[in-house]
Amino acid sequence: MQVSAEEKELLKRIGQAPRFPIVRFELRSSRERSLISTALNHVYLEREIDSMEQAKQRAKQLENLEAQGLICLNYKIFITVKSDYRVYERSSIFNLLSDMVMEGKHRPGFLFDIPYIKRGMATLTDAGREWLESQPE
């Protein structure tokens, strides 16, 4: 398995956290409920001021860990803790997305008029737990 030092640290955080919230920033339409566009997938933010580049880098790390079967990324969650997602709601990235939507609303034919945060969770798989336990400190 190829796991970078950054991915290993992320894997440790996921394993140690009681809940590890992630989100998908989406664009939605009030006129066509089935119309959903993913603006940024598998977002994990540590601070409200984290940059787009940091978010994209972590998303790649999460995707790699999932592809190797070490974590599961789940967006079909029925109950979440609102405070876990506050950093995403207040983030500069979501504010940028919201501003883009507000600008677009004034254009004829613009369908995506709702910035949306799809809540998710990252969890270790059994293989991820075993891999972490096998690693020297």
Side-chain angles (χ1 to χ4, degrees), residues 2-135:
Q2 289 287 25
V3 177
S4 70
E6 293 86 7
E7 290 169 343
K8 184 178 178 181
E9 284 304 311
L10 189 55
L11 200 58
K12 283 182 187 177
R13 285 188 205 156
I14 294 169
Q16 293 169 347
R19 294 179 304 275
F20 197 87
I22 58 169
V23 300
R24 176 182 296 144
F25 288 138
E26 296 177 342
L27 298 170
R28 294 187 174 195
S29 174
S30 62
R31 287 175 259 159
E32 183 65 45
R33 289 187 51 91
S34 64
L35 195 58
I36 299 172
S37 177
T38 299
L40 195 56
N41 209 8
H42 311 316
V43 178
Y44 166 61
L45 300 179
E46 295 173 352
R47 302 168 306 153
E48 295 170 12
I49 60 170
D50 285 354
S51 70
M52 181 74 74
E53 189 55 41
Q54 288 171 307
K56 288 180 179 181
Q57 183 180 7
R58 289 185 196 127
K60 286 181 183 179
Q61 292 168 355
L62 289 169
E63 288 173 4
N64 187 40
L65 293 171
E66 184 180 45
Q68 293 187 62
L70 300 174
I71 64 170
C72 177
L73 304 176
N74 183 7
Y75 293 94
K76 295 179 182 175
I77 298 173
F78 299 106
I79 299 174
T80 59
V81 178
K82 184 171 177 55
S83 61
D84 287 349
Y85 297 90
R86 190 166 290 127
V87 68
Y88 300 102
E89 294 166 356
R90 296 177 178 176
S91 72
S92 57
I93 298 171
F94 188 65
N95 284 331
L96 183 66
L97 181 67
S98 297
D99 290 347
M100 184 182 77
V101 167
M102 290 304 136
E103 279 182 35
K105 279 185 175 182
H106 303 294
R107 294 187 186 141
F110 188 78
L111 294 175
F112 296 106
D113 57 347
I114 302 170
Y116 188 81
I117 297 174
K118 178 71 175 170
R119 295 178 182 182
M121 202 66 67
T123 55
L124 282 182
T125 62
D126 289 341
R129 196 169 289 104
E130 290 172 16
W131 186 87
L132 265 181
E133 290 171 358
S134 73
Q135 296 303 299

